[in-house]
Amino acid sequence: MPCAVARGEYTARYVARSSSAVVKAPVDLVQVRRQLTQLADRGCVTELIEHVLGWLTQLTDAHHALTLRLQTALRALYGRKSQKVSSQQLSLWLTTLLDADEAPASQLPEAPPDDAPPEKGEQAAPPADPPKPPKRAERAPLPAHLERHRERLTVPASERVCGQCGRDKACIGYRTSEVLDFIPARFIVVEQQREKLACPRCPEQGVSTAPPDKVMDRGRPGPGLLAKLVVDKFEDSMPLYRQAQACARSGVVLSSSTLGDWTAFTLDLLAPIAARITERVLAEPYLRTDDTGIPVQDRKHPRRLKRGHLWVFVGDHLASFLYAPDWKAKHPAALLQPFQGFLQGDGYAGYNAMLRQSTHSAPSLSEERRLGCGMHIRAKFEKAAKLGDLSAAIALGYFKGIYLVEAECKARGFSPEQRHAYRQAHAMPLVDALFQWVRETHKTLVPKTPLYEATFYAKGQEAAWRRCFSDGRFEIDNGEAERQLRKIAVGRKNFLFAGSDKGAERLAIGFTLFRSCSLQGVNPLLWATDVITKLQRGWPRSRLDELLPDAWSKAHTSDATAVGVAAS
């Protein structure tokens, strides 16, 4: 039967996805030749073309997919981790789109105004003065609290005699300059001489001895040494074997196992404070959360190493961490059972499972209390743009304008009510335009391409992200939780894995304590030394709130200022 003559032009993409006659591209080229020869002998030119185009399309799709995977892997291995896109780069992409006629000018986002109009009741700012020539950078003064040693330097003997009269020069003063030096930390031994009392008249009464003032009954470390161990591990990401090497350089030989025992003891001692921090965090009305993986040794696992997860929950003043042996939603759901506020996170599928654990149970996290993250949505468009799909620059342009609105709110110190009103006037039109473009563009994209995945993710997160603009208290992204996880990422590269589930739980305790110190700008070494000392001496459990970093910071403001505390 003669084949029908093709009408119109067929593209490879159309033929591959619309023609039912296309078969899977064979691997054997001999088979390809045989099939094409048979079609040519029968005069089926159209069917022959469709077969060839179909095979070429499938091979092209496979090649394109492998190329994207390779580019993604190379970018993850060698590329920059930052997701920032400069204004110049974004402008170049948008200009390229216009020049190529790939996007009409009406679809491109308008550049947000540099100067927002003043609010009602505000006075317009006076015109800016002409720019002044840049001044030479001056050195910042050294902190006043540092210990100072005075050292007097004399003029060389060859210059102490006047070259004109030959008499000795007189000292008329000193020119002072400062040199910043460092004296290595040192170990000290505290000899505790415990008083012994006995009655010389009644020897049968025995001897009374003062109790020892020690943190560990059978150990010799003091509170300062224990504080240094945990601060070095959780703030400076220094594994214990490196700490043992540093101790050896000071002449004190301590094994890694000994330091591990002392660290575990310290974290168990501080565990009630971490538990109280978690209670405080879950009582807040607004939390941001995220998770990251951590290798954990497990003898039952085929590779003796499994992937656990550390979850972070960030409130206004404190941060809490939870260890979970796997990525199942039941672990954060169990922790969030008493939580009644708004939770901000990414598109983790487990949040949907947390909405209702069973048909008879109440939702662990209702849909109305979920907030999305603009950073996660934007990251997928940034990835698509850097992988070569410049149409993603349109979405990045809208995000640029939205974040400029956020920056303006913070620069002007708006209250939550003022920020909400300003967002509704300036940010929401950009949000509406962004998602209109997302919906229209998504229909035209080829599945499994980076831009398709970006628009698909954006559509699924639209409702959750729009809720971020409903209240001025909410941030539009989950950046704070991401920043808290950076310390874990650095530590993971250094100490590689946790020795057990119990060890990973202790990691969660340590990060809870010292990430909360970081949020409060508290010197972690001073805080840990003071708190360990107080707990050692029987601090009452009813007053644990006084030892939490926020309360401790208020009570020790002068001490914190004296040591130049700065948040990490």
Side-chain angles (χ1 to χ4, degrees), residues 518-541:
S518 176
L519 286 175
Q520 289 296 316
V522 169
N523 185 309
L525 187 60
L526 289 182
W527 176 84
T529 303
D530 183 61
V531 170
I532 291 172
T533 302
K534 289 178 177 178
L535 292 176
Q536 162 206 356
R537 295 176 178 175
W539 187 270
R541 292 297 180 96

Side-chain angles (χ1 to χ4, degrees), residues 36-54:
L36 295 181
T37 302
Q38 292 175 357
L39 292 173
D41 293 342
R42 298 202 307 265
C44 300
V45 180
T46 303
E47 189 175 353
L48 185 148
I49 294 175
E50 290 179 354
H51 272 71
V52 173
L53 291 179

Side-chain angles (χ1 to χ4, degrees), residues 16-48:
R17 304 199 179 277
S18 63
S19 176
S20 60
V22 176
V23 295
K24 184 177 181 180
V27 179
D28 189 0
L29 295 180
V30 176
Q31 183 181 355
V32 174
R33 179 185 293 273
R34 184 185 307 113
Q35 293 182 7
L36 295 181
T37 302
Q38 292 175 357
L39 292 173
D41 293 342
R42 298 202 307 265
C44 300
V45 180
T46 303
E47 189 175 353
L48 185 148

Side-chain angles (χ1 to χ4, degrees), residues 141-159:
L142 296 176
H145 70 272
L146 294 179
E147 180 182 350
R148 279 170 164 75
H149 295 188
R150 182 170 296 174
E151 180 180 299
R152 289 188 175 177
L153 305 179
T154 59
V155 176
S158 60
E159 301 180 13

Side-chain angles (χ1 to χ4, degrees), residues 230 233-234 240 260-261 263-268 271 294-298 306 308-310 321-325 488 495-512:
V230 292
K233 182 175 180 65
F234 292 98
L240 295 180
D261 293 339
T263 301
F265 171 84
T266 305
L267 294 175
D268 291 342
I294 180 171
V296 180
Q297 285 187 330
D298 185 1
K306 67 181 180 181
H309 284 264
L310 282 174
F321 286 77
L322 165 72
Y323 167 70
I488 297 178
F495 49 73
L496 301 182
F497 54 81
S500 63
D501 287 334
K502 183 63 177 177
E505 291 173 0
R506 290 194 176 106
L507 285 179
I509 292 174
F511 285 119
T512 296

Side-chain angles (χ1 to χ4, degrees), residues 375-432:
M375 287 177 55
H376 284 83
I377 301 175
R378 180 188 176 278
K380 295 186 180 297
F381 288 103
E382 180 264 346
K383 175 183 176 181
K386 291 186 176 180
L387 288 178
D389 198 333
L390 298 187
S391 296
I394 298 176
L396 295 178
Y398 286 119
F399 275 104
K400 192 82 171 179
I402 294 169
Y403 274 93
L404 284 178
V405 173
E406 290 298 302
E408 182 70 15
C409 292
K410 293 180 180 180
R412 299 169 72 168
F414 282 163
S415 65
E417 294 76 15
Q418 291 174 323
R419 180 156 74 159
H420 175 257
Y422 196 80
R423 281 174 173 175
Q424 297 302 311
H426 297 88
M428 288 310 297
L430 296 173
V431 174
D432 295 337

Side-chain angles (χ1 to χ4, degrees), residues 337 340 354-358 361-367 369:
Q337 280 293 339
Q340 297 298 323
M354 292 164 58
L355 292 178
R356 188 172 297 278
Q357 296 296 312
S358 68
S361 62
S364 299
L365 180 66
S366 65
E367 183 69 34
R369 294 191 286 120

Side-chain angles (χ1 to χ4, degrees), residues 67-384:
T67 301
L68 287 178
R69 292 182 63 183
L70 178 60
Q71 291 177 345
T72 303
L74 291 175
R75 182 189 176 206
L77 186 61
Y78 301 112
R80 295 176 66 245
K81 304 299 182 183
S82 174
Q83 297 174 356
K84 293 182 178 180
V85 176
S86 65
S87 299
Q88 294 80 3
Q89 180 66 64
L90 183 58
S91 177
L92 176 61
W93 285 342
L94 294 175
T95 302
T96 305
L97 281 176
L98 279 176
D99 294 342
D101 293 332
E102 294 184 14
S106 59
Q107 288 189 0
L108 299 182
E110 296 182 1
D114 294 333
D115 299 322
E119 296 293 320
K120 184 178 180 180
E122 293 184 358
Q123 296 181 357
D129 296 332
K132 298 180 180 179
K135 295 182 179 180
R136 182 179 177 181
E138 298 181 357
R139 292 178 178 175
L142 296 176
H145 70 272
L146 294 179
E147 180 182 350
R148 279 170 164 75
H149 295 188
R150 182 170 296 174
E151 180 180 299
R152 289 188 175 177
L153 305 179
T154 59
V155 176
S158 60
E159 301 180 13
R160 299 184 68 87
V161 178
C162 178
Q164 182 174 350
C165 66
R167 296 182 180 181
D168 292 339
K169 296 180 180 179
C171 178
I172 59 174
Y174 294 90
R175 177 174 295 174
T176 303
S177 59
E178 295 181 331
V179 176
L180 183 64
D181 206 349
F182 175 75
I183 299 176
R186 61 186 185 273
F187 288 91
I188 63 171
V189 178
V190 179
E191 294 184 356
Q192 295 183 351
Q193 296 184 347
R194 297 153 54 197
E195 184 183 21
K196 298 192 299 181
L197 300 179
C199 180
R201 294 172 297 276
C202 307
E204 66 277 3
Q205 295 297 321
V207 178
S208 299
T209 305
D213 188 16
K214 299 175 64 176
V215 181
M216 300 176 65
D217 292 337
R218 298 184 180 181
R220 293 189 293 181
L225 178 55
L226 294 180
K228 182 182 183 303
L229 289 179
V230 292
V231 169
D232 284 352
K233 182 175 180 65
F234 292 98
E235 279 297 292
D236 300 328
S237 304
M238 184 181 295
L240 295 180
Y241 80 91
R242 293 186 190 171
Q243 295 193 47
Q245 294 172 352
C247 293
R249 288 195 296 268
S250 298
V252 179
V253 179
L254 297 171
S255 66
S256 299
S257 61
T258 298
L259 297 184
D261 293 339
W262 291 355
T263 301
F265 171 84
T266 305
L267 294 175
D268 291 342
L269 179 68
L270 297 173
I273 297 180
R276 181 57 186 148
I277 290 177
T278 300
E279 293 177 4
R280 285 270 306 276
V281 168
L282 295 180
E284 295 193 19
Y286 167 48
L287 291 184
R288 289 151 286 181
T289 185
D290 206 344
D291 73 289
T292 187
I294 180 171
V296 180
Q297 285 187 330
D298 185 1
R299 295 181 180 179
K300 298 180 180 179
H301 195 275
R303 295 189 303 141
R304 300 298 181 99
L305 197 68
K306 67 181 180 181
R307 180 181 174 88
H309 284 264
L310 282 174
W311 288 83
V312 61
F313 301 91
V314 183
D316 287 338
H317 308 291
L318 303 169
S320 174
F321 286 77
L322 165 72
Y323 167 70
D326 51 47
W327 209 22
K328 295 180 180 178
K330 64 181 181 180
H331 305 290
L335 183 70
L336 292 172
Q337 280 293 339
F339 179 64
Q340 297 298 323
F342 290 85
L343 185 69
Q344 187 171 37
D346 55 14
Y348 169 57
Y351 294 136
N352 295 327
M354 292 164 58
L355 292 178
R356 188 172 297 278
Q357 296 296 312
S358 68
T359 56
H360 303 290
S361 62
S364 299
L365 180 66
S366 65
E367 183 69 34
E368 293 74 17
R369 294 191 286 120
R370 282 187 56 191
L371 304 176
C373 174
M375 287 177 55
H376 284 83
I377 301 175
R378 180 188 176 278
K380 295 186 180 297
F381 288 103
E382 180 264 346
K383 175 183 176 181

